[in-house]
Amino acid sequence: EALAEISLERSRIVLGSDRAHGAVSELAGTTGIPRRIGWISLPSFYTAGENGSLTSVARDVRELIQQMTATRLDGLVLDLRDNPGGALNEAAALSELFLPRGIMMLSRGLDGNLKEHPLKEGEPLYNGPLVVLTSALSASASEVFAGAMKYHRRAVIAGAASTFGKGTMQNYIEVSRMQGKEANDWGTLRLTTERFYLPNGQSVQRTGIPADIIFPELEAPGRNRREADQPGAFPAETVLPPAGVTPAITGAFAVSELLLTRLNQAVTVDFKDLPEWNLFRQEQELRRHSIAREHRSLRLEVRRKEWTEQLTAWEAARRTRREITERVRYPTQSYDIATVLAARQTHQAKLRKENTGEHPLLHRLNQGSFMVETDGGNLRKLRLDMIDFQTFSGDTEALALAFSNGAGHPASAADMAIFLREISLLEHKTDMTVLATARRISSGTLDEDAVRRGTESLLHRLTELNGDMLRERPGLDIPLRESLRIAAAWAERPTNSKLEIPPPEHP
């Protein structure tokens, strides 16, 4: 038999789900004209291909903004939450979409010389109100970009009190080349070789990029650890900036102290009056109470009482979240990159073809997930591992009815309570483990087909109870919604002489 030699070329691939995507929402304005505010999520500063010839975060953002501005765009939010950074050249290319000129950052290497990193001069793609949304996990290239926007007075930084605080850059060095013996494979060292600073010489290391408008931070174990919390982290330091370095933005859309004062006043009112921020505080307190408890009783009746109280509190918060999500919604249109959209449509066509057979995939448990149709008409696989089953503890009667209808056998609310508790304890939720847990419903008297039909009916009911599972965009992303309101308020009065803040919406 003849042998064939096939050469494979390695290449960096950026998945469609990891590329920039966004939407435009309409918010009511004081003049009666809805404000169209865009939102673009940047998971990382990715690049692929030579010089980003295949995939580039700056290229993708450019395409999204061009789509959004084809109609009208009154303001824009760039979502850098949890963005770990990536290619610094992409941070520069992205900055050039919003700045006409200027220094992006300063750096100092092992030789001790201070280096300027200037942007290419040119007409920015977008000149309107810009809000950069950050978190404690926004790091590296994210901080370079956010720092440039802040220094040049181009954007309002909103979100965590400060970003991660990684003000250093690393290089990979092959040990064999250091010895001049390229034939020997002695491995690679990753060394910190440079520090970087804001254009005015301020430190990013440990300090991060302070927000202009501070939101309450989402609390979770290890989530808010910053560079300063790491063992052996380099100290912060500042440098003298080169002569002549000045902010690039002046005029109507320059970020001024007056603008920040007025926007902070509006956000303070929102924190106090809007039900969604009250919900945010309630959920934070529940998380804090759960995490902080170091002592637990060994008495069964005490533990049952504590568990019941905890479930009741979470169920009340979840019910409030659902109500706010359904009651206060901004009309929103999604935007995607053309190549990603084309690939998704091809994939959707394939899935829909499979979904018309004798055993359709829609709502069917398959390989640890099940298929649903979103509010945008797209098919989506929901992984069982991503569902917090315990939050449905207040819906046991509805879930019992769904299981009963699917299985053709009555199940009780008590059965559902046990099922939700046991499935929440599973380390990995596979078809086998989930069906084995469901098989104990009705004392294990149901056959396998009935158990599967009942479980699939139950899973479908979960998506109806929690509409976020069927939405293209999050129904109630509270920090994002506040950022949209900030951009809308800025768009209401672009001059700094008198900024009128639209009143918050009260459901």
Side-chain angles (χ1 to χ4, degrees):
E1 185 176 345
L3 298 177
E5 182 176 319
I6 300 175
S7 298
L8 299 179
E9 181 179 348
R10 295 181 62 185
S11 179
R12 182 182 298 273
I13 302 297
V14 182
L15 298 178
S17 58
D18 296 328
R19 294 175 68 172
H21 56 276
V24 172
S25 296
E26 289 191 359
L27 283 71
T30 57
T31 61
I33 301 175
R35 294 294 174 182
R36 287 174 48 84
I37 307 300
W39 161 65
I40 297 177
S41 175
L42 300 180
S44 68
F45 282 81
Y46 53 83
T47 184
E50 186 176 352
N51 298 322
S53 59
L54 297 179
T55 306
S56 157
V57 68
R59 179 178 299 176
D60 288 351
V61 171
R62 173 182 290 276
E63 181 177 333
L64 290 172
I65 292 177
Q66 287 172 338
Q67 290 182 37
M68 293 176 179
T69 54
T71 304
R72 190 184 89 244
L73 192 64
D74 298 313
L76 181 64
V77 176
L78 288 183
D79 188 351
L80 298 184
R81 287 175 296 176
D82 300 354
N83 184 318
L88 273 176
N89 61 316
E90 287 299 319
L94 186 66
S95 298
E96 289 164 359
L97 299 181
F98 306 100
L99 289 172
R101 62 188 176 280
I103 302 297
M104 180 183 70
M105 69 175 191
L106 306 172
S107 67
R108 186 167 65 178
L110 298 177
D111 58 8
N113 296 325
L114 196 63
K115 180 181 178 182
E116 300 179 30
H117 295 260
L119 300 172
K120 296 178 183 176
E121 292 195 16
E123 181 66 25
L125 176 66
Y126 173 75
N127 291 300
L130 178 64
V131 177
V132 177
L133 179 58
T134 62
S135 72
L137 298 181
S138 302
S140 195
S142 293
E143 296 176 286
V144 170
F145 174 78
M149 295 300 106
K150 182 181 176 74
Y151 170 76
H152 288 291
R153 302 175 185 169
R154 177 62 188 90
V156 172
I157 312 300
S162 68
T163 54
F164 186 76
K166 181 182 180 297
T168 59
M169 293 182 283
Q170 288 73 39
N171 278 335
Y172 292 91
I173 301 175
E174 295 183 29
V175 178
S176 58
R177 291 191 176 183
M178 295 174 63
Q179 301 296 323
K181 300 177 180 179
E182 297 188 14
N184 296 326
D185 185 6
W186 289 353
T188 304
L189 292 177
R190 183 185 183 193
L191 298 179
T192 297
T193 57
E194 289 185 87
R195 288 176 178 263
F196 63 83
Y197 313 85
L198 297 184
N200 61 356
Q202 291 297 309
S203 175
V204 176
Q205 177 67 14
R206 286 181 173 261
T207 305
I209 307 301
D212 299 310
I213 300 177
I214 299 175
F215 295 167
E217 294 187 41
L218 179 65
E219 296 181 11
R223 176 174 176 79
N224 297 326
R225 286 178 59 85
R226 293 172 165 85
E227 175 75 5
D229 302 318
Q230 310 302 316
F234 287 154
E237 69 173 19
T238 60
V239 295
L240 290 175
V245 175
T246 58
I249 300 299
T250 59
F253 284 115
V255 175
S256 68
E257 290 301 320
L258 175 60
L259 174 69
L260 294 179
T261 298
R262 305 248 179 178
L263 291 176
N264 268 294
Q265 290 173 347
V267 171
T268 299
V269 172
D270 287 354
F271 287 166
K272 177 177 178 293
D273 292 348
L274 290 185
E276 59 195 65
W277 280 113
N278 185 48
L279 170 65
F280 187 93
R281 289 188 289 270
Q282 291 176 4
E283 293 177 337
Q284 289 287 70
E285 184 58 35
L286 289 172
R287 292 188 190 95
R288 191 178 298 116
H289 178 72
S290 177
I291 295 170
R293 297 192 63 177
E294 297 180 356
H295 305 284
R296 295 186 182 275
S297 175
L298 296 178
R299 297 175 61 185
L300 181 59
E301 61 272 20
V302 174
R303 293 291 294 274
R304 280 177 172 168
K305 180 175 181 294
E306 292 174 347
W307 180 249
T308 301
E309 290 174 349
Q310 183 179 353
L311 289 182
T312 301
W314 271 112
E315 171 56 25
R318 187 171 63 86
R319 190 164 50 245
T320 301
R321 176 171 281 272
R322 286 182 186 173
E323 292 171 354
I324 296 175
T325 300
E326 296 301 326
R327 193 168 64 235
V328 187
R329 300 179 66 179
Y330 300 135
T332 299
Q333 177 183 357
S334 298
Y335 287 87
D336 280 297
I337 302 148
T339 54
V340 173
L341 184 60
R344 181 181 297 123
Q345 289 173 342
T346 300
H347 183 60
Q348 293 284 325
K350 182 179 179 181
L351 287 178
R352 291 189 181 281
K353 184 177 180 180
E354 294 176 357
N355 196 42
T356 57
E358 183 179 353
H359 302 288
L361 293 174
L362 201 61
H363 307 144
R364 183 159 65 87
L365 183 60
N366 183 37
Q367 298 181 348
S369 62
F370 64 103
M371 195 82 69
V372 297
E373 188 168 16
T374 68
D375 58 356
N378 295 314
L379 294 180
R380 171 190 292 169
K381 281 188 177 182
L382 288 180
R383 289 176 47 207
L384 298 177
D385 279 334
M386 302 300 293
I387 301 174
D388 187 354
F389 284 87
Q390 198 60 64
T391 61
F392 293 91
S393 58
D395 300 302
T396 52
E397 291 187 4
L399 296 179
L401 179 60
F403 185 92
S404 301
N405 291 338
H409 190 282
S412 67
D415 288 331
M416 286 299 108
I418 295 172
F419 171 78
L420 292 174
R421 183 166 64 247
E422 291 187 353
I423 199 173
S424 297
L425 296 175
L426 293 176
E427 183 176 0
H428 298 292
K429 299 177 182 65
T430 64
D431 298 14
M432 184 180 298
T433 58
V434 170
L435 292 174
T437 304
R439 196 169 292 120
R440 290 192 282 272
I441 295 174
S442 299
S443 303
T445 59
L446 301 181
D447 60 39
E448 291 186 6
D449 286 342
V451 171
R452 176 175 284 275
R453 292 195 306 271
T455 303
E456 290 173 349
S457 177
L458 181 153
L459 293 174
H460 181 214
R461 187 72 177 106
L462 290 182
T463 65
E464 295 176 337
L465 293 170
N466 183 359
D468 270 355
M469 294 183 181
L470 302 180
R471 291 192 178 96
E472 296 285 349
R473 303 295 178 202
L476 189 61
D477 185 334
I478 297 173
L480 174 59
R481 285 162 59 95
E482 191 64 45
S483 299
L484 295 174
R485 287 191 287 266
I486 291 171
W490 186 357
E492 285 290 298
R493 283 283 181 173
T495 63
N496 291 324
S497 58
K498 181 181 180 183
L499 181 72
E500 295 182 3
I501 305 297
E505 299 178 29
H506 297 275

